[in-house]
Amino acid sequence: MNIEKKKILIGYLCAIGAVIFWGFHPVLIRILINQGLNPYMIGSLRLFIGSLILAIVLAFLSLIKKKPYPKVAYSKFFWIIAVSLAANFLLFHKGLEYTTASDAILLEAFSPVIVLVIVMIFFQQKIKHFLYYPGLLQKILFVVMIGLAGSAFLLMNNAKDQVIIYEQKFIGDIIEFIAMFAWALVMIGMHEYHQREKETDILAATAQFLFVAAVIMIPFVPWGEITAISTQQWMWLLVLGTFSTCLTYILWHTASRYLDIFPLVVLFNFASIFNVITESVVLNTQISWKLFIGGALILYASMRAKLLNDKYKILTKEESPGE
């Protein structure tokens, strides 16, 4: 196996590992919210715990190797990632207060389509694709419409959940839909950051992304309620901070270094399927025909977005802006 194939294999293994951890965390967050924990506090503590664990690991490795703490490049894409991640955590956790974990994760699966649209609009060197391929714009619009139709089915889905109220679920779905835009910016930022800052240590960069995002969230958190968190809830918060935040983002940033953005976001869609199954088993929610059709349309739109990128090379490592 040559070096390039080995890197691709590592990228896929890391992405799959991240997807597994991402697949169960919305269900766990919903359980904690149902127990009375503030959603913003859950999100902020996840980020602080994840960044703290990474900082300890990095300090330990630096001590053993007798090397200075790795430096991080604070480029514009670093700040795009940090701010977008904070926005995503604020909206994603708040949305789970009103809607199901299945809706939340499926709506985020729409992000590949939004990535495609953002790249075509804001990365000017990619606009040439419209000139080279006159039918590309129509194909992109078709993918967007399919994804929006899937989102509409999720909005109409009357979840059979003992906690979720249908009227509130609509509000939660709208919040999650907005959170999906923030996640699309995170995905683009990660791709561009790792393609431009190849010398930056992955662990150090991840620790800084998480910490800055956590700091941004501080004003939104009712910190006076932290004393009411039980021992068991702290245990689950540590699980979220360690596995679904710290380890997951290490794996995802590593995968971002070796894979193009669209294979990554398509792999992320498998977290949706895993999450729907987990929620159905753990929270006893029903998989309705509206959820099934809506999820299928969104995942189809995501796959079509990947195929369009593969065919027209809209955003790849070889043709990344600024390279």
Side-chain angles (χ1 to χ4, degrees), residues 207-223:
Q208 292 300 311
F209 295 149
L210 299 180
F211 179 75
V212 173
V215 171
I216 294 173
M217 290 185 68
I218 285 178
F220 301 91
V221 179
W223 293 106

Side-chain angles (χ1 to χ4, degrees), residues 24-237:
F24 76 84
H25 84 275
V27 176
L28 183 51
I29 292 169
R30 271 208 61 208
I31 292 174
L32 291 174
I33 290 175
N34 292 343
Q35 292 177 356
L37 264 65
N38 182 276
Y40 297 148
M41 182 177 293
I42 296 172
S44 183
L45 288 175
R46 279 183 62 193
L47 292 170
F48 275 123
I49 291 170
S51 61
L52 176 62
I53 293 174
L54 271 178
I56 293 173
V57 170
L58 285 167
F60 181 72
L61 291 176
S62 298
L63 184 63
I64 291 178
K65 297 178 180 180
K66 297 181 179 179
K67 293 183 179 180
Y69 193 90
K71 295 182 179 180
V72 174
Y74 296 99
S75 66
K76 67 177 180 180
F77 285 104
F78 171 92
W79 296 107
I80 288 175
I81 295 171
V83 174
S84 300
L85 184 60
N88 174 262
F89 263 58
L90 285 167
L91 294 165
F92 182 78
H93 288 76
K94 186 62 177 179
L96 283 171
E97 188 174 5
Y98 304 110
T99 191
T100 63
S102 299
D103 276 24
I105 202 72
L106 283 169
L107 286 169
E108 284 218 342
F110 189 39
S111 58
V113 181
I114 302 303
V115 166
L116 186 63
V117 173
I118 292 175
V119 167
M120 293 300 296
I121 294 175
F122 294 102
F123 288 77
Q124 295 183 1
Q125 56 269 54
K126 301 300 179 182
I127 301 300
K128 63 184 180 182
H129 286 75
F130 289 134
L131 301 176
Y132 296 160
Y133 310 105
L136 179 57
L137 180 59
Q138 289 85 345
K139 292 178 180 179
I140 292 176
L141 290 176
F142 174 76
V143 169
V144 172
M145 295 304 296
I146 291 293
L148 289 175
S151 301
F153 273 102
L154 293 186
L155 292 174
M156 294 185 295
N157 178 39
N158 188 3
K160 303 299 182 181
D161 187 288
Q162 60 182 354
V163 177
I164 298 297
I165 301 172
Y166 181 65
E167 289 76 13
Q168 292 183 344
K169 175 186 171 296
F170 181 82
I171 296 173
D173 285 345
I174 294 298
I175 294 173
E176 295 296 352
F177 189 79
I178 299 172
M180 176 267 298
F181 281 85
W183 178 247
L185 290 175
V186 173
M187 302 291 284
I188 293 173
M190 285 182 181
H191 179 271
E192 290 302 309
Y193 185 82
H194 287 304
Q195 295 308 309
R196 296 165 186 264
E197 310 295 343
K198 295 182 181 294
E199 301 302 318
T200 294
D201 183 87
I202 293 176
L203 293 180
T206 304
Q208 292 300 311
F209 295 149
L210 299 180
F211 179 75
V212 173
V215 171
I216 294 173
M217 290 185 68
I218 285 178
F220 301 91
V221 179
W223 293 106
E225 298 178 11
I226 197 169
T227 56
I229 301 177
S230 68
T231 302
Q232 184 182 49
Q233 289 170 340
W234 272 115
M235 180 191 72
W236 289 120
L237 286 169

